[in-house]
Amino acid sequence: MAVSANKLELLQIADAVAREKLIDKEIVIGAMADAIQKAAKSRYGQETNVRADINAKTGEIKLQRLMEVVEELENTDNQIAFEDARAKNPDAQIGDFIAEPLPPLDFGRIAAQSAKQVIVQKVREAERDKQYEEFKDRVGEIVNGTVKRVEYGNVVVDLGRGEGIIRRDELIPREMYRYGDRVRAFIYDVRREQRGPQIFLSRTHPQFMAKLFQMEVPEIYDGIIEIKSVARDPGSRAKIAVISRDSAIDPVGACVGMRGSRVQAVVGELQGEKIDIIPWQPDAASFIVNALQPAEVAKVVLDEDAERIEVVVPDEQLSLAIGRRGQNVRLASQLTGWDIDILTEDEESARRQKEFTERTQLFMEALDVDEMVGQVLASEGFSSIEEVAYVDAEEVSSIEGFDEDTAAEIQTRAREYLERIEAENDAKRTELGVVDEIREIPGVTTAMMVALGKDDVKTMEDFAGCAVDDLVGWRERVEGETKIYDGIFTPFGTTRAEAEEMVLSARLAVGWITEEDLAAEFEEDGEEPAEGAEAVPADADATAGAPA
């Protein structure tokens, strides 16, 4: 079959548009068919159900009117009676469509203009979809582009097949770009929006520096050296932790390069940002000491449950450890994920002396002993009255200067003191209206019941409705800083696991969950609970872990 000039021209146009916009030719032909369909509707009436088909090989245009087969005819424009449909097609059923050919359409000026708009719109949508599909899988990559324009401090970058934007707060401080400048940036987000895909670029993202090192250090690209974490104060200073999988390769030396050539290439791209390359260690204390370089550390005290560490430094090293405006300790905290408290040796000594004095005073008042006895107990490592009351009597009598009678008297006074405090707390919780049943929850003390009453948790249902975070508090990391929120049981040192068991016990007591629910939950997980262990079902755990 010969293809007419007009039909051939139609296919050539579709082919040219597809090549120019880098989209599928079928999409362009489909857009043309939609445009012809819209023009035909304006010619034959909007209620007419028109379908246009374009043969992708010959360019032939076929117009058809679709008529729905109905039992009772209501609209002659797009419906056909069942009997008439059977006359045209003996196999027609109710709900089917009968296609009737329509004569070729001569486009008027308005119809042609409308068709053009449809084609342009469809092609633009296809082009946007193509851009989104191309860039959505490139999140986490570094791209090169040319500055197209600068709007209110935001830099619009031409990436060849799309446009990216570097927002003002994603630029390194004091960076200035003009039209036509070459720029390198990190793709950190790609979103599909009404006006097309939005490609968000950054030069301040920590992973931008990590990717630059990957480009400059072949060992990182090959996976021999791994970047464990990065912390940046853009344009000023950065820390990067690296580890080598090959003991023969020094990770720090490989990243620095011969005469600093590799690290200097990264520093040059980051506008002179000073970079500390830190050897990563699995031991948190060693890693944190390394992260605080160039400061020297005398001693560290870890609190693993709270992911908090106290670092003791010599007096002359304090300013170096903290850094200008707290920069060094802040970057070290971001790098390691631990909260770091910096103390001088004098401050630590003063704090220990204060704690010793407070414990001594506690023992003097609670046990009705003189200062010397209180100091002896504090220096022996006792930190609470409970320890004195319930420790093995031999541990007290073995203290130098104490005999068995003295030890027995001290422990008796300690138990009497605890009983008195217990009675006072019991009166307080009764006054606050906290029910007796809460005492049956394993691990809950009378002092805890007083704290619950002060927080308006008075019944078993109230306790069952508590989230674990309500009891032990929670932590949020905001802009590299960790904010700590206390819970009701924070003063008692209750762990998260203990709080989960308490909440679970309360929910079992009030009938919100059953032992069968727990058993079914463990069967789904393919595990069996250890003897004496408790478990939280999925729905209960979600409630227990969320901040109030």
Side-chain angles (χ1 to χ4, degrees), residues 427-446:
K428 286 180 184 177
R429 69 93 188 167
T430 304
E431 183 181 345
L432 290 168
V434 181
V435 298
D436 293 344
E437 287 79 7
I438 292 181
R439 195 193 302 275
E440 298 171 7
I441 298 173
V444 175
T445 64
T446 310

Side-chain angles (χ1 to χ4, degrees), residues 106-115:
D106 291 329
F107 285 96
R109 183 179 62 83
I110 296 176
Q113 186 67 23
S114 176

Side-chain angles (χ1 to χ4, degrees), residues 135-443:
F135 282 98
K136 76 178 176 64
D137 296 328
R138 296 183 64 186
V139 171
E141 292 183 11
I142 287 180
V143 290
N144 294 294
T146 307
V147 175
K148 198 169 184 180
R149 61 185 181 275
V150 179
E151 301 173 340
Y152 306 107
N154 302 321
V155 179
V156 179
V157 182
D158 183 1
L159 301 175
R161 297 184 182 180
E163 278 187 3
I165 183 169
I166 310 177
R167 295 186 301 193
R168 186 167 50 191
D169 58 345
E170 297 292 341
L171 287 168
I172 295 174
R174 297 180 297 283
E175 269 190 327
M176 297 290 291
Y177 286 102
R178 294 189 176 90
Y179 173 78
D181 288 349
R182 297 287 296 172
V183 62
R184 182 186 287 181
F186 176 80
I187 301 177
Y188 72 91
D189 194 13
V190 178
R191 301 176 197 163
R192 192 196 295 271
E193 296 188 2
Q194 193 67 33
R195 59 182 183 275
Q198 295 294 298
I199 303 164
F200 294 96
L201 308 175
S202 174
R203 285 178 56 79
T204 62
H205 198 286
Q207 286 303 311
F208 179 50
M209 188 177 77
K211 289 292 182 180
L212 289 174
F213 269 104
Q214 184 176 337
M215 295 168 66
E216 296 294 337
V217 183
E219 290 87 348
I220 296 177
Y221 182 82
D222 294 338
I224 299 172
I225 293 175
E226 180 185 356
I227 297 174
K228 299 293 286 188
S229 58
V230 181
R232 287 184 66 191
D233 193 349
S236 177
R237 193 168 181 177
K239 292 179 184 284
I240 180 170
V242 292
I243 185 174
S244 175
R245 301 184 185 280
D246 186 343
S247 58
I249 295 177
D250 173 25
V252 175
C255 292
V256 172
M258 186 71 69
R259 296 180 182 176
S261 58
R262 292 174 175 176
V263 72
Q264 284 305 317
V266 178
V267 169
E269 179 65 41
L270 299 178
Q271 305 296 316
E273 192 170 308
K274 295 187 178 84
I275 301 174
D276 296 334
I277 303 173
I278 310 294
W280 186 84
Q281 298 281 347
D283 176 51
S286 302
F287 181 32
I288 292 167
V289 169
N290 291 339
L292 285 169
Q293 292 177 2
E296 297 177 3
V297 176
K299 187 172 72 172
V300 296
V301 180
L302 278 80
D303 181 352
E304 295 188 0
D305 289 336
E307 288 193 350
R308 193 174 194 87
I309 185 169
E310 286 184 355
V311 177
V312 181
V313 298
D315 291 4
E316 66 275 7
Q317 293 282 316
L318 179 63
S319 59
L320 194 60
I322 294 175
R324 184 185 301 172
R325 301 189 187 91
Q327 184 184 68
N328 192 53
V329 68
R330 183 173 65 253
L331 289 176
S333 179
Q334 292 176 18
L335 189 74
T336 60
W338 286 65
D339 292 330
I340 302 175
D341 293 333
I342 305 288
L343 299 174
T344 64
E345 291 175 332
D346 287 346
E347 287 173 339
E348 193 228 2
S349 176
R351 193 197 63 183
R352 290 176 61 187
Q353 183 60 41
K354 181 184 176 184
E355 291 176 354
F356 179 81
T357 303
E358 289 175 350
R359 288 202 303 270
T360 300
Q361 192 66 30
L362 171 65
F363 294 141
M364 289 172 59
E365 294 176 358
L367 305 178
D368 192 20
V369 295
D370 60 25
E371 185 176 3
M372 187 187 71
V373 175
Q375 288 178 347
V376 169
L377 291 171
S379 62
E380 287 293 326
F382 291 103
S383 59
S384 67
I385 302 298
E386 286 82 356
E387 288 183 20
V388 176
Y390 300 113
V391 76
D392 191 347
E394 290 184 2
E395 289 194 31
V396 182
S397 60
S398 64
I399 298 173
E400 187 176 352
F402 285 16
D403 55 23
E404 292 183 3
D405 291 339
T406 304
E409 177 64 23
I410 287 175
Q411 287 195 302
T412 299
R413 293 184 185 184
R415 290 171 186 145
E416 288 174 352
Y417 172 80
L418 293 175
E419 289 170 3
R420 186 167 66 253
I421 295 299
E422 176 73 9
E424 291 174 1
N425 285 332
D426 193 48
K428 286 180 184 177
R429 69 93 188 167
T430 304
E431 183 181 345
L432 290 168
V434 181
V435 298
D436 293 344
E437 287 79 7
I438 292 181
R439 195 193 302 275
E440 298 171 7
I441 298 173

Side-chain angles (χ1 to χ4, degrees), residues 443-465:
V444 175
T445 64
T446 310
M448 289 179 175
M449 293 172 72
V450 173
L452 288 169
K454 290 178 178 178
D455 211 72
D456 206 31
V457 178
K458 300 179 180 181
T459 66
M460 191 68 86
E461 287 79 7
D462 292 342
F463 195 95

